[in-house]
């Protein structure tokens, strides 16, 4: 049931958001050229690695500029268009393709980088990887980005234990409400 909901909602979102996706593509090209999409290896269901897609929000060859915390407002690697994409979470929309491919779900813990494995105990990692990662999750719906690692982990593990279609629907509505309030700011 969850997989059918993921496919149906992702396809519907891609169709309804196609004008926004096209406008974002044009803005990215005008702002910093090609490529428009960025991909990064992430960890999914049962610890399997896959490529997660996003709209590129950083300058090309951002690693040459040097390491920074990407949440910082003064990060010189983030483009002008990229700041807007991140603030509105539009940069996440290409992950709808990951949902269609089955690498991700609409709702689940946010996918980790492989190097983040060391942040978890063996039991926590297994439990966290027992569900598909999501575009949004309980932690994002409750906290957005202001949560501590411990708060996000507790929410992710709670989701893995209590996952259901009903919880997914509630998290989707909470996320939309949170994003709507943020867009008004």
């Amino acid at each position: 049931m969850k997989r059918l909901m993921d496919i149906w909602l992702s396809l519907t979102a891609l169709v309804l958001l196609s004008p926004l996706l096209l406008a974002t593509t044009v803005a990215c090209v005008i702002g910093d050229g090609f490529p428009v999409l960025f991909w990064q290896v992430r960890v999914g269901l049962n610890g399997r690695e896959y490529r997660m897609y996003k709209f590129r929000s950083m300058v090309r060859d951002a690693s040459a500029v040097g390491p920074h915390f990407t949440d910082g407002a003064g990060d010189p690697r983030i483009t002008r268009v990229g700041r807007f994409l991140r603030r509105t979470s539009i940069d996440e929309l290409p992950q709808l393709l990951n949902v269609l491919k089955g690498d991700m779900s609409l709702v689940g813990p946010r996918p980790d980088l492989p190097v983040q494995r060391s942040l978890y105990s063996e039991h926590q990692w297994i439990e966290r990887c027992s569900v598909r990662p999501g575009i949004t999750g309980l932690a994002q719906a409750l906290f957005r980005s202001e949560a501590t690692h411990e708060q996000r982990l507790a929410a992710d593990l709670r989701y893995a234990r209590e996952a259901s279609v009903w919880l997914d629907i509630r998290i989707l509505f909470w996320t939309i409400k949170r994003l709507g309030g943020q867009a008004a700011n």
Side-chain angles (χ1 to χ4, degrees), residues 74-106:
D75 188 340
R77 303 171 303 162
I78 301 175
T79 65
R80 238 177 68 208
V81 171
R83 287 191 204 297
F84 176 77
L85 296 179
R86 286 171 175 235
R87 188 173 61 248
T88 58
S89 297
I90 292 172
D91 63 323
E92 308 285 349
L93 292 178
Q95 291 167 41
L96 291 167
L97 299 172
N98 289 113
V99 174
L100 288 176
K101 287 175 51 181
D103 294 329
M104 294 177 71
S105 179
L106 290 172

Side-chain angles (χ1 to χ4, degrees), residues 39-57:
W39 64 266
Q40 193 172 50
V41 174
R42 296 293 178 109
V43 179
L45 182 64
N46 299 320
R48 189 179 62 82
E49 293 183 2
Y50 69 96
R51 287 183 178 186
M52 184 183 79
Y53 301 104
K54 291 179 132 185
F55 278 116
R56 186 171 59 85
S57 60

Side-chain angles (χ1 to χ4, degrees), residues 69-176:
F69 288 107
T70 58
D71 290 338
D75 188 340
R77 303 171 303 162
I78 301 175
T79 65
R80 238 177 68 208
V81 171
R83 287 191 204 297
F84 176 77
L85 296 179
R86 286 171 175 235
R87 188 173 61 248
T88 58
S89 297
I90 292 172
D91 63 323
E92 308 285 349
L93 292 178
Q95 291 167 41
L96 291 167
L97 299 172
N98 289 113
V99 174
L100 288 176
K101 287 175 51 181
D103 294 329
M104 294 177 71
S105 179
L106 290 172
V107 179
R110 286 297 295 157
D112 280 327
L113 295 163
V115 298
Q116 291 174 299
R117 166 68 183 88
S118 64
L119 299 174
Y120 304 95
S121 71
E122 186 66 23
H123 175 74
Q124 290 169 333
W125 183 252
I126 291 169
E127 189 170 11
R128 195 172 190 288
C129 291
S130 69
V131 293
R132 275 189 181 88
I135 294 175
T136 189
L138 185 58
Q140 289 69 38
L142 297 176
F143 309 116
R144 181 84 173 130
S145 60
E146 65 269 5
T148 65
H149 171 72
E150 290 77 21
Q151 289 171 313
R152 284 190 302 273
L153 175 60
D156 289 345
L157 296 179
R158 178 179 165 201
Y159 177 82
R161 286 189 297 272
E162 300 174 11
S164 69
V165 171
W166 175 242
L167 180 58
D168 283 6
I169 291 168
R170 290 177 29 210
I171 290 170
L172 286 170
F173 279 113
W174 292 338
T175 301
I176 291 166

